[in-house]
Structure formats: C-alpha cells, structure tokens
Amino acid sequence: MRTDLENARLTLEQGGYTCVLCREGETFTGTEHGVRPLMSWLRQGADLRGCSAADRVVGRAAAYLYALLGVKVVHGMLMSEGGRQVLEDHGVQASWDTLVPEIRNRTNTGLCPMEQAVRAAHTPEEAYQSIAAAIARMQTSKGTT
C-alpha cells in the first residue's frame, strides 16, 4: 500500500495538477499556478492538517502556507533553499527533486513576486497577510478583481 506522500506525488505526476494533498484516502488537488490553490484552501477554512503534499514549485511563500495549513510533509519537484528552511523550521518534513537557491519569476528576470512578498515575514501568519496583499496589488494592476 502506498503512503499519502507517494499517492500525492503519483497524482501530481499523472494528473496535470500544480499541487496535490493526500490524507488517508482523501485527495485535494489544485490546478492554479503559484500559491493560489493554497490561498483558496486557507480562505475556505479547509482542514488539511496532517496531509502529505506534492507540489511543482515550493519556495518560501508556499512553505509558509503549507505550515499554516498544518501539512506534515511536502515534496517539491522544485524547491528553494529558503522553502526547505521554512518547512523545517515549522516541523514540516521536506523532500525535493531539485533544490535551488531561490524561486525565479516566470520570465526568469528576477525573483518570484510571492518570494519578494514574504521576504520580511517571520511567521506563517505574516506571510499569509503579505501574500494576500501582493495578490491584491497584482490583480489591481491588471485591472481584475
């Protein structure tokens, strides 16, 4: 029988998702890019404590949100050193396929905007507030709500 983490990783690889969380037969999937699925689950008050997660990209921003969600283990296909450290600092086991110094933006011209947003954060709660504010600013600048 596969572990929750093995199920999450397999579903991520085969299902075209951006992140997958598994817990004792339950599966939660996200298809949006970045931290949006994690933010949605937090806003909805989803109980994801004890889940095992597999994610395409895990930087500091996602790591803080996983800690806030109460996830017990996170595997990132791509994980930043900062993301690994945040997870470990909050008692979340971390594994990865590729470990990089930082998560870059989609055009590779600088740091990911969510990583920039959490630079000064020291707690998952601070990170959540910073990420929510950054997303709101991005939506306003694009003219969307």
Side-chain angles (χ1 to χ4, degrees):
M1 182 186 280
R2 288 192 298 258
T3 66
D4 287 339
L5 183 58
E6 290 168 335
N7 285 331
R9 289 181 68 179
L10 184 63
T11 303
L12 180 72
E13 292 167 7
Q14 295 179 347
Y17 301 107
T18 55
C19 62
V20 176
L21 285 72
C22 292
R23 177 184 59 208
E24 300 173 1
E26 291 181 288
T27 301
F28 306 88
T29 58
T31 56
E32 294 178 287
H33 290 283
V35 298
R36 289 186 187 274
L38 306 178
M39 291 294 286
S40 293
W41 288 322
L42 283 162
R43 280 193 295 273
Q44 294 165 10
D47 180 7
L48 300 174
R49 290 172 296 178
C51 282
S52 296
D55 198 318
R56 294 206 177 276
V57 179
V58 180
R60 290 182 73 239
Y64 274 124
L65 297 179
Y66 278 121
L68 198 56
L69 285 164
V71 170
K72 69 177 182 177
V73 59
V74 175
H75 177 83
M77 295 175 76
L78 179 71
M79 185 177 289
S80 73
E81 292 172 0
R84 177 197 56 77
Q85 189 64 55
V86 166
L87 291 170
E88 290 179 4
D89 288 350
H90 290 88
V92 180
Q93 295 176 14
S95 64
W96 55 86
D97 294 330
T98 304
L99 187 66
V100 295
E102 61 188 13
I103 302 300
R104 308 281 293 168
N105 63 26
R106 291 191 188 134
T107 58
N108 200 29
T109 56
L111 194 62
C112 165
M114 296 301 108
E115 297 300 278
Q116 289 177 5
V118 300
R119 276 216 157 144
H122 298 289
T123 67
E125 295 79 11
E126 287 176 358
Y128 176 85
Q129 294 302 322
S130 297
I131 292 165
I135 289 172
R137 282 191 304 274
M138 291 168 70
Q139 288 175 334
T140 300
S141 71
K142 290 181 181 177
T144 61
T145 55

